[in-house]
Amino acid sequence: MEKTFHITTFGCQMNEHDSEIMAGMLLEKGFVPVKERKDAAVAIINTCSVRENADKRFFGTLGQLKRRKMENPDFLVCVCGCMMQQQHVIDTIKAKYPWVDIIFGTHNIHRFPELIDNALSEKKKQTEIWPDGGEIVEGLPSKRLHQSKALVNIMFGCNNFCTYCIVPYTRGRERSRKPQEILSEVRTLVDDGVREIMLLGQNVNSYRGEGGIDFADLLYLLNDVDGLERIRFMTSHPKDLSDRLIQAFVDCEKLCRNIHLPVQSGSTEILKKMNRRYTKEAYLNLVEKLRKAVPSITMSTDIIVGFPGETEEDFSETLDLVRKVRYDSAFTFLYSVRKGTPAEKYEDQIPEAVKHERFNRLVDLVNSISMEKNAKYVGTVQKVLVEGPAKTGSSIFSGRTDGFKLVNFRGNADMVGTMADIRITGSNTFSLEGEVL
Ligand code: 5AD
Ligand code: SF4
């Protein structure tokens, strides 16, 4: 068979990194990646189940592959990721999409190469789902998307059970990697040209590594890795954000002055129904503490609009919180019912029209603040880690500042992977424009 593959990734950075690992494993088996799915002998779809539209897009994509499979029975269709951890999804695939060859889940991606071998040698479909994550599998290869920055898992799973969220069911309970494993991975990455790492976990603040090492300790350890220049992390749950982590922002010069701190709602009442375990006031206090310790810190958040029972008053609390915090950016989501979560059973679901109307008001507010915040950077000089052309073939390059602002500027291929001084000359809602100094 022709050894080419293509991976389609839905969802969060965790999935993106899983796809990098699958690509790494396939490269080791002599496969080569292709840009377009239509040219691949093996197509992999890594799914997300956090909201309904991701589900829909997955089934749409699967539908598109039917013809290809009919024309070429050797074409291998592989599906994995969060959706596969739900039995009803597996049932639907088996009933309606029989052209899928290999199904596996979030806990056994390391088994993928063997599943391919089995599918080819036995000429038989393979389905292997592990209900829980067992021992963390170390030492898997990874084919990074970027030369100079890398995603690094520090923990897997989530124990929080926010009532709207499917993740605890698809990613299992919290498990932390050993600090030594993380450090040795990061050292290897740095030797391979990585300058920035993004530490990943559903809630990095509850990291507990061997020897009682917590997340703040881990940051101090990583800050001492020679050659590493930037450390970022996501996501942290406000209820677990410790004073020691705030102090780490002050002490660790490599830790970027930026935090993603999902608030979800500004209404204490709704936060309670969401099982978030903090109040609006506690969240605002936390923001104040962070800003006092690290005045230049930039902040982003996630907000859900239209959670069951959300009244106009609750929603105005969210608008009020956004006005108070003034986020650099915010990801806003329409509440989406997820099968098997407690909120699925809540009565008072909000009508779509109301959700959309609130959503639009929130987005307008969030964007106007982002615009004002970005405008303040005009005239400053920012250190930008150059990632690559903004679009393939373009002479406009892009990169991120310490505060995670996206900057576009005229550049060249030699700059990729370097830290460039860029004078900011213009600003938009979602990005800055600049010129190389
Ligand atoms: N509906 C809408 N948004 C959701 N999120 C998680 N579950 C849901 C849901 N059921 C959002 C949260 C989370 C982000 C990754 O996705 O804001 O922080
Ligand atoms: Fe989902 Fe809440 Fe866990 Fe985040 S902390 S993954 S929103 S359950």
Side-chain angles (χ1 to χ4, degrees):
M1 107 187 246
E2 203 193 321
K3 291 185 122 184
T4 51
F5 73 95
H6 179 274
I7 308 182
T8 308
T9 309
F10 292 101
C12 63
Q13 268 106 341
M14 208 63 82
N15 264 18
E16 228 165 77
H17 190 46
D18 284 350
S19 290
E20 290 182 339
I21 292 171
M22 287 187 273
M25 293 188 299
L26 288 172
L27 286 171
E28 281 192 347
K29 282 180 75 70
F31 280 79
V32 288
V34 289
K35 284 220 156 59
E36 308 253 357
R37 191 166 52 218
K38 66 174 178 45
D39 301 324
V42 178
I44 300 127
I45 307 172
N46 190 0
T47 64
C48 166
S49 45
V50 83
R51 284 172 297 276
E52 194 187 2
N53 55 3
D55 283 25
K56 283 195 180 140
R57 281 170 59 211
F58 165 61
F59 286 118
T61 307
L62 218 44
Q64 290 164 19
L65 297 179
K66 178 177 183 180
R67 213 165 116 211
R68 176 84 199 279
K69 183 77 184 178
M70 305 281 249
E71 286 165 6
N72 177 7
D74 289 338
F75 173 51
L76 268 193
V77 180
C78 314
V79 297
C80 59
C82 286
M83 285 180 76
M84 304 310 134
Q85 296 297 140
Q86 297 163 276
Q87 189 55 45
H88 67 93
V89 174
I90 306 285
D91 296 342
T92 306
I93 293 174
K94 296 213 157 149
K96 294 195 186 154
Y97 304 87
W99 53 92
V100 170
D101 299 290
I102 298 179
I103 306 178
F104 56 104
T106 57
H107 301 302
N108 59 340
I109 60 169
H110 61 284
R111 298 266 310 133
F112 181 38
E114 205 174 318
L115 293 173
I116 293 195
D117 287 345
N118 294 349
L120 294 175
S121 64
E122 297 166 14
K123 299 220 169 308
K124 212 170 108 225
K125 293 181 190 304
Q126 308 285 320
T127 301
E128 185 178 302
I129 305 294
W130 292 9
D132 302 298
E135 283 278 297
I136 293 173
V137 181
E138 292 291 350
L140 295 176
S142 164
K143 172 76 184 90
R144 290 195 304 281
L145 210 56
H146 296 280
Q147 192 44 40
S148 53
K149 56 178 206 172
L151 302 169
V152 176
N153 283 322
I154 63 163
M155 58 184 302
F156 302 91
C158 181
N159 290 353
N160 288 310
F161 292 94
C162 302
T163 56
Y164 50 81
C165 187
I166 195 76
V167 170
Y169 310 91
T170 61
R171 292 262 171 190
R173 293 297 65 71
E174 285 175 1
R175 283 149 289 141
S176 296
R177 285 179 74 192
K178 294 189 174 116
Q180 283 318 319
E181 297 283 359
I182 297 169
L183 276 165
S184 92
E185 179 179 346
V186 170
R187 288 194 192 105
T188 309
L189 288 168
V190 169
D191 288 344
D192 194 37
V194 165
R195 310 181 77 168
E196 175 180 311
I197 52 167
M198 168 77 92
L199 305 173
L200 296 180
Q202 303 297 343
N203 177 16
V204 291
N205 293 333
S206 55
Y207 174 83
R208 279 294 170 281
E210 211 177 47
I213 303 272
D214 70 6
F215 184 53
D217 297 328
L218 182 67
L219 289 173
Y220 284 93
L221 289 171
L222 289 167
N223 195 56
D224 286 339
V225 172
D226 287 336
L228 182 64
E229 292 183 45
R230 282 178 170 179
I231 305 169
R232 303 184 187 281
F233 60 86
M234 77 185 305
T235 294
S236 42
H237 195 304
K239 78 174 163 57
D240 302 315
L241 199 151
S242 68
D243 289 349
R244 293 185 55 245
L245 175 59
I246 297 178
Q247 190 56 39
F249 272 112
V250 178
D251 297 338
C252 301
E253 73 287 354
K254 293 177 186 170
L255 186 56
C256 291
R257 271 50 179 167
N258 166 250
I259 190 164
H260 183 66
L261 197 60
V263 68
Q264 313 298 0
S265 168
S267 154
T268 295
E269 197 58 35
I270 293 295
L271 287 169
K272 201 164 171 197
K273 290 185 186 159
M274 287 176 160
N275 190 31
R276 292 290 290 177
R277 288 174 278 170
Y278 53 84
T279 61
K280 178 188 185 189
E281 288 66 38
Y283 184 92
L284 288 172
N285 283 338
L286 188 58
V287 168
E288 203 180 299
K289 247 198 311 192
L290 272 162
R291 287 213 168 118
K292 201 161 160 211
V294 196
S296 65
I297 200 163
T298 54
M299 256 182 225
S300 59
T301 198
D302 292 341
I303 303 172
I304 298 177
V305 175
F307 185 79
E310 184 188 75
T311 62
E312 181 57 33
E313 286 69 45
D314 291 318
F315 179 64
S316 60
E317 296 280 355
T318 298
L319 294 177
D320 179 61
L321 179 131
V322 169
R323 279 192 202 99
K324 288 194 165 115
V325 176
R326 294 181 57 77
Y327 293 104
D328 290 272
S329 65
F331 298 93
T332 48
F333 306 106
L334 291 163
Y335 169 70
S336 166
V337 181
R338 303 286 66 207
K339 222 183 199 140
T341 60
E344 181 199 5
K345 305 269 163 6
Y346 291 1
E347 281 165 4
D348 45 19
Q349 299 280 336
I350 306 299
E352 286 303 310
V354 176
K355 277 193 219 172
H356 281 271
E357 190 272 333
R358 286 180 190 162
F359 183 82
N360 293 340
R361 274 192 281 157
L362 177 63
V363 170
D364 286 347
L365 175 62
V366 160
N367 287 353
S368 70
I369 295 170
S370 299
M371 187 93 119
E372 285 167 26
K373 289 227 145 181
N374 284 348
K376 295 229 158 75
Y377 287 82
V378 176
T380 66
V381 173
Q382 300 287 323
K383 277 219 174 322
V384 168
L385 178 58
V386 183
E387 285 176 17
K391 286 193 197 101
T392 15
S394 163
S395 63
I396 302 298
F397 280 66
S398 63
R400 300 260 175 191
T401 67
D402 177 281
F404 208 57
K405 301 274 179 189
L406 183 66
V407 185
N408 293 311
F409 50 91
R410 198 162 288 283
N412 58 61
D414 293 342
M415 296 176 72
V416 175
T418 66
M419 210 60 91
D421 284 324
I422 307 282
R423 182 189 305 284
I424 306 302
T425 54
S427 66
N428 309 301
T429 311
F430 304 110
S431 63
L432 302 174
E433 284 157 27
E435 54 193 25
V436 181
L437 270 194

Tab-separated table of all heavy atoms in Angstrom, residues 86-117:
chain	number	residue	atom	x	y	z
A	86	GLN	N	-17.580	7.929	23.805
A	86	GLN	CA	-19.009	7.881	24.118
A	86	GLN	C	-19.650	6.753	23.309
A	86	GLN	O	-19.581	6.752	22.082
A	86	GLN	CB	-19.659	9.219	23.772
A	86	GLN	CG	-19.094	10.359	24.609
A	86	GLN	CD	-19.429	11.696	23.999
A	86	GLN	OE1	-18.748	12.187	23.110
A	86	GLN	NE2	-20.505	12.276	24.462
A	87	GLN	N	-20.288	5.816	24.016
A	87	GLN	CA	-20.838	4.634	23.358
A	87	GLN	C	-21.833	4.995	22.264
A	87	GLN	O	-21.853	4.378	21.199
A	87	GLN	CB	-21.484	3.710	24.412
A	87	GLN	CG	-21.894	2.354	23.877
A	87	GLN	CD	-20.745	1.590	23.191
A	87	GLN	OE1	-19.633	1.536	23.704
A	87	GLN	NE2	-20.996	1.044	22.003
A	88	HIS	N	-22.642	6.047	22.508
A	88	HIS	CA	-23.666	6.372	21.495
A	88	HIS	C	-23.024	6.793	20.171
A	88	HIS	O	-23.581	6.575	19.100
A	88	HIS	CB	-24.656	7.426	22.025
A	88	HIS	CG	-24.080	8.795	22.253
A	88	HIS	ND1	-24.128	9.790	21.296
A	88	HIS	CD2	-23.425	9.336	23.316
A	88	HIS	CE1	-23.550	10.879	21.780
A	88	HIS	NE2	-23.108	10.629	22.991
A	89	VAL	N	-21.824	7.360	20.242
A	89	VAL	CA	-21.121	7.750	19.012
A	89	VAL	C	-20.645	6.504	18.266
A	89	VAL	O	-20.832	6.371	17.058
A	89	VAL	CB	-19.926	8.688	19.331
A	89	VAL	CG1	-19.109	8.960	18.079
A	89	VAL	CG2	-20.409	9.987	19.956
A	90	ILE	N	-20.063	5.576	19.008
A	90	ILE	CA	-19.594	4.324	18.399
A	90	ILE	C	-20.777	3.615	17.719
A	90	ILE	O	-20.667	3.148	16.588
A	90	ILE	CB	-18.978	3.375	19.475
A	90	ILE	CG1	-17.884	4.081	20.271
A	90	ILE	CG2	-18.478	2.071	18.864
A	90	ILE	CD1	-16.582	4.280	19.587
A	91	ASP	N	-21.918	3.580	18.430
A	91	ASP	CA	-23.101	2.921	17.869
A	91	ASP	C	-23.514	3.594	16.557
A	91	ASP	O	-23.838	2.914	15.582
A	91	ASP	CB	-24.273	2.962	18.869
A	91	ASP	CG	-23.960	2.173	20.137
A	91	ASP	OD1	-23.026	1.335	20.093
A	91	ASP	OD2	-24.630	2.406	21.175
A	92	THR	N	-23.512	4.930	16.551
A	92	THR	CA	-23.914	5.659	15.336
A	92	THR	C	-22.951	5.364	14.187
A	92	THR	O	-23.371	5.136	13.057
A	92	THR	CB	-23.939	7.186	15.616
A	92	THR	OG1	-24.758	7.414	16.747
A	92	THR	CG2	-24.472	7.972	14.431
A	93	ILE	N	-21.654	5.370	14.485
A	93	ILE	CA	-20.677	5.112	13.416
A	93	ILE	C	-20.918	3.724	12.825
A	93	ILE	O	-20.973	3.549	11.609
A	93	ILE	CB	-19.229	5.227	13.946
A	93	ILE	CG1	-18.939	6.676	14.339
A	93	ILE	CG2	-18.223	4.738	12.901
A	93	ILE	CD1	-17.593	6.882	15.015
A	94	LYS	N	-21.100	2.745	13.710
A	94	LYS	CA	-21.257	1.371	13.213
A	94	LYS	C	-22.532	1.229	12.386
A	94	LYS	O	-22.553	0.508	11.382
A	94	LYS	CB	-21.254	0.387	14.384
A	94	LYS	CG	-19.889	0.421	15.078
A	94	LYS	CD	-19.493	-0.910	15.632
A	94	LYS	CE	-17.980	-0.953	15.761
A	94	LYS	NZ	-17.483	-1.755	16.831
A	95	ALA	N	-23.593	1.939	12.806
A	95	ALA	CA	-24.871	1.795	12.101
A	95	ALA	C	-24.896	2.577	10.791
A	95	ALA	O	-25.424	2.113	9.795
A	95	ALA	CB	-26.006	2.253	13.016
A	96	LYS	N	-24.329	3.771	10.804
A	96	LYS	CA	-24.538	4.669	9.653
A	96	LYS	C	-23.294	4.951	8.819
A	96	LYS	O	-23.400	5.505	7.730
A	96	LYS	CB	-25.087	6.010	10.159
A	96	LYS	CG	-26.463	5.902	10.768
A	96	LYS	CD	-27.074	7.286	10.898
A	96	LYS	CE	-28.392	7.255	11.629
A	96	LYS	NZ	-28.663	8.531	12.276
A	97	TYR	N	-22.131	4.648	9.331
A	97	TYR	CA	-20.907	4.989	8.597
A	97	TYR	C	-19.990	3.760	8.513
A	97	TYR	O	-18.870	3.770	9.035
A	97	TYR	CB	-20.182	6.168	9.281
A	97	TYR	CG	-21.043	7.399	9.434
A	97	TYR	CD1	-21.875	7.569	10.541
A	97	TYR	CD2	-21.036	8.397	8.453
A	97	TYR	CE1	-22.688	8.689	10.680
A	97	TYR	CE2	-21.843	9.525	8.580
A	97	TYR	CZ	-22.658	9.663	9.699
A	97	TYR	OH	-23.457	10.786	9.824
A	98	PRO	N	-20.480	2.707	7.853
A	98	PRO	CA	-19.733	1.432	7.883
A	98	PRO	C	-18.399	1.497	7.142
A	98	PRO	O	-17.641	0.522	7.183
A	98	PRO	CB	-20.699	0.449	7.204
A	98	PRO	CG	-21.609	1.294	6.386
A	98	PRO	CD	-21.738	2.608	7.092
A	99	TRP	N	-18.100	2.616	6.495
A	99	TRP	CA	-16.809	2.712	5.793
A	99	TRP	C	-15.662	3.116	6.720
A	99	TRP	O	-14.537	3.261	6.272
A	99	TRP	CB	-16.908	3.665	4.597
A	99	TRP	CG	-17.451	5.036	4.900
A	99	TRP	CD1	-16.730	6.144	5.222
A	99	TRP	CD2	-18.815	5.437	4.912
A	99	TRP	NE1	-17.556	7.201	5.443
A	99	TRP	CE2	-18.846	6.804	5.253
A	99	TRP	CE3	-20.022	4.774	4.677
A	99	TRP	CZ2	-20.036	7.521	5.366
A	99	TRP	CZ3	-21.205	5.504	4.785
A	99	TRP	CH2	-21.203	6.849	5.119
A	100	VAL	N	-15.958	3.270	8.016
A	100	VAL	CA	-14.878	3.558	8.963
A	100	VAL	C	-14.129	2.258	9.274
A	100	VAL	O	-14.751	1.239	9.566
A	100	VAL	CB	-15.437	4.177	10.262
A	100	VAL	CG1	-14.358	4.259	11.340
A	100	VAL	CG2	-16.003	5.565	9.980
A	101	ASP	N	-12.793	2.280	9.205
A	101	ASP	CA	-12.002	1.059	9.400
A	101	ASP	C	-11.466	0.907	10.823
A	101	ASP	O	-11.417	-0.183	11.359
A	101	ASP	CB	-10.799	1.054	8.446
A	101	ASP	CG	-11.237	1.072	7.000
A	101	ASP	OD1	-11.770	0.049	6.553
A	101	ASP	OD2	-11.081	2.113	6.335
A	102	ILE	N	-10.985	2.025	11.400
A	102	ILE	CA	-10.318	1.923	12.703
A	102	ILE	C	-10.905	2.957	13.654
A	102	ILE	O	-11.004	4.136	13.321
A	102	ILE	CB	-8.793	2.158	12.560
A	102	ILE	CG1	-8.179	1.092	11.658
A	102	ILE	CG2	-8.108	2.176	13.926
A	102	ILE	CD1	-6.688	1.246	11.441
A	103	ILE	N	-11.318	2.483	14.829
A	103	ILE	CA	-11.849	3.383	15.856
A	103	ILE	C	-11.026	3.189	17.126
A	103	ILE	O	-10.867	2.062	17.595
A	103	ILE	CB	-13.328	3.068	16.192
A	103	ILE	CG1	-14.197	3.057	14.914
A	103	ILE	CG2	-13.880	4.053	17.210
A	103	ILE	CD1	-15.677	2.696	15.172
A	104	PHE	N	-10.484	4.271	17.646
A	104	PHE	CA	-9.832	4.191	18.968
A	104	PHE	C	-10.107	5.478	19.722
A	104	PHE	O	-10.687	6.420	19.184
A	104	PHE	CB	-8.338	3.879	18.853
A	104	PHE	CG	-7.546	4.843	18.003
A	104	PHE	CD1	-6.735	5.802	18.594
A	104	PHE	CD2	-7.608	4.790	16.620
A	104	PHE	CE1	-5.997	6.688	17.816
A	104	PHE	CE2	-6.882	5.680	15.831
A	104	PHE	CZ	-6.076	6.632	16.429
A	105	GLY	N	-9.719	5.512	21.015
A	105	GLY	CA	-10.152	6.617	21.877
A	105	GLY	C	-9.012	7.507	22.341
A	105	GLY	O	-7.933	7.523	21.747
A	106	THR	N	-9.258	8.228	23.418
A	106	THR	CA	-8.253	9.182	23.915
A	106	THR	C	-7.194	8.496	24.780
A	106	THR	O	-6.126	9.051	24.999
A	106	THR	CB	-8.914	10.270	24.789
A	106	THR	OG1	-9.622	9.619	25.861
A	106	THR	CG2	-9.888	11.118	23.997
A	107	HIS	N	-7.527	7.291	25.313
A	107	HIS	CA	-6.606	6.664	26.263
A	107	HIS	C	-5.616	5.701	25.617
A	107	HIS	O	-4.758	5.158	26.285
A	107	HIS	CB	-7.399	5.902	27.334
A	107	HIS	CG	-8.336	6.779	28.104
A	107	HIS	ND1	-7.903	7.887	28.804
A	107	HIS	CD2	-9.677	6.729	28.268
A	107	HIS	CE1	-8.950	8.474	29.380
A	107	HIS	NE2	-10.029	7.796	29.069
A	108	ASN	N	-5.791	5.446	24.332
A	108	ASN	CA	-4.928	4.421	23.719
A	108	ASN	C	-4.359	4.850	22.364
A	108	ASN	O	-4.217	4.026	21.476
A	108	ASN	CB	-5.686	3.088	23.599
A	108	ASN	CG	-6.962	3.203	22.754
A	108	ASN	OD1	-7.479	4.304	22.561
A	108	ASN	ND2	-7.454	2.088	22.256
A	109	ILE	N	-4.038	6.135	22.229
A	109	ILE	CA	-3.499	6.539	20.923
A	109	ILE	C	-2.168	5.838	20.612
A	109	ILE	O	-1.841	5.618	19.459
A	109	ILE	CB	-3.339	8.069	20.744
A	109	ILE	CG1	-2.409	8.669	21.764
A	109	ILE	CG2	-4.652	8.811	20.734
A	109	ILE	CD1	-2.053	10.112	21.415
A	110	HIS	N	-1.450	5.436	21.667
A	110	HIS	CA	-0.184	4.722	21.429
A	110	HIS	C	-0.409	3.379	20.727
A	110	HIS	O	0.518	2.793	20.198
A	110	HIS	CB	0.558	4.504	22.756
A	110	HIS	CG	-0.212	3.669	23.733
A	110	HIS	ND1	-1.281	4.159	24.454
A	110	HIS	CD2	-0.096	2.359	24.082
A	110	HIS	CE1	-1.777	3.201	25.211
A	110	HIS	NE2	-1.067	2.104	25.011
A	111	ARG	N	-1.652	2.906	20.735
A	111	ARG	CA	-1.966	1.626	20.100
A	111	ARG	C	-2.236	1.770	18.605
A	111	ARG	O	-2.424	0.782	17.902
A	111	ARG	CB	-3.203	1.013	20.789
A	111	ARG	CG	-2.996	0.703	22.264
A	111	ARG	CD	-2.572	-0.720	22.474
A	111	ARG	NE	-3.458	-1.612	21.766
A	111	ARG	CZ	-3.049	-2.621	20.992
A	111	ARG	NH1	-1.763	-2.858	20.861
A	111	ARG	NH2	-3.931	-3.387	20.367
A	112	PHE	N	-2.289	3.000	18.124
A	112	PHE	CA	-2.681	3.253	16.739
A	112	PHE	C	-1.832	2.488	15.710
A	112	PHE	O	-2.398	1.826	14.823
A	112	PHE	CB	-2.676	4.781	16.493
A	112	PHE	CG	-3.073	5.202	15.118
A	112	PHE	CD1	-4.087	4.546	14.427
A	112	PHE	CD2	-2.440	6.283	14.497
A	112	PHE	CE1	-4.459	4.951	13.146
A	112	PHE	CE2	-2.806	6.680	13.216
A	112	PHE	CZ	-3.809	6.018	12.543
A	113	PRO	N	-0.490	2.509	15.811
A	113	PRO	CA	0.297	1.790	14.800
A	113	PRO	C	-0.085	0.307	14.720
A	113	PRO	O	-0.211	-0.247	13.622
A	113	PRO	CB	1.741	1.942	15.290
A	113	PRO	CG	1.725	3.178	16.138
A	113	PRO	CD	0.374	3.212	16.784
A	114	GLU	N	-0.309	-0.300	15.896
A	114	GLU	CA	-0.663	-1.711	15.879
A	114	GLU	C	-2.050	-1.938	15.279
A	114	GLU	O	-2.282	-2.929	14.574
A	114	GLU	CB	-0.605	-2.270	17.301
A	114	GLU	CG	-0.351	-3.754	17.292
A	114	GLU	CD	-0.134	-4.299	18.691
A	114	GLU	OE1	0.582	-3.642	19.484
A	114	GLU	OE2	-0.693	-5.371	18.986
A	115	LEU	N	-2.951	-1.012	15.538
A	115	LEU	CA	-4.295	-1.150	14.967
A	115	LEU	C	-4.243	-1.079	13.441
A	115	LEU	O	-4.967	-1.789	12.750
A	115	LEU	CB	-5.228	-0.066	15.532
A	115	LEU	CG	-5.539	-0.193	17.032
A	115	LEU	CD1	-6.333	1.015	17.534
A	115	LEU	CD2	-6.320	-1.478	17.328
A	116	ILE	N	-3.374	-0.217	12.919
A	116	ILE	CA	-3.216	-0.151	11.454
A	116	ILE	C	-2.681	-1.485	10.934
A	116	ILE	O	-3.218	-2.057	9.980
A	116	ILE	CB	-2.244	0.979	11.034
A	116	ILE	CG1	-2.846	2.336	11.355
A	116	ILE	CG2	-1.920	0.880	9.543
A	116	ILE	CD1	-2.147	3.498	10.674
A	117	ASP	N	-1.629	-1.984	11.589
A	117	ASP	CA	-1.056	-3.268	11.159
A	117	ASP	C	-2.126	-4.356	11.172
A	117	ASP	O	-2.247	-5.130	10.226
A	117	ASP	CB	0.086	-3.693	12.098
A	117	ASP	CG	1.321	-2.837	11.880
A	117	ASP	OD1	1.387	-2.143	10.831
A	117	ASP	OD2	2.206	-2.835	12.759
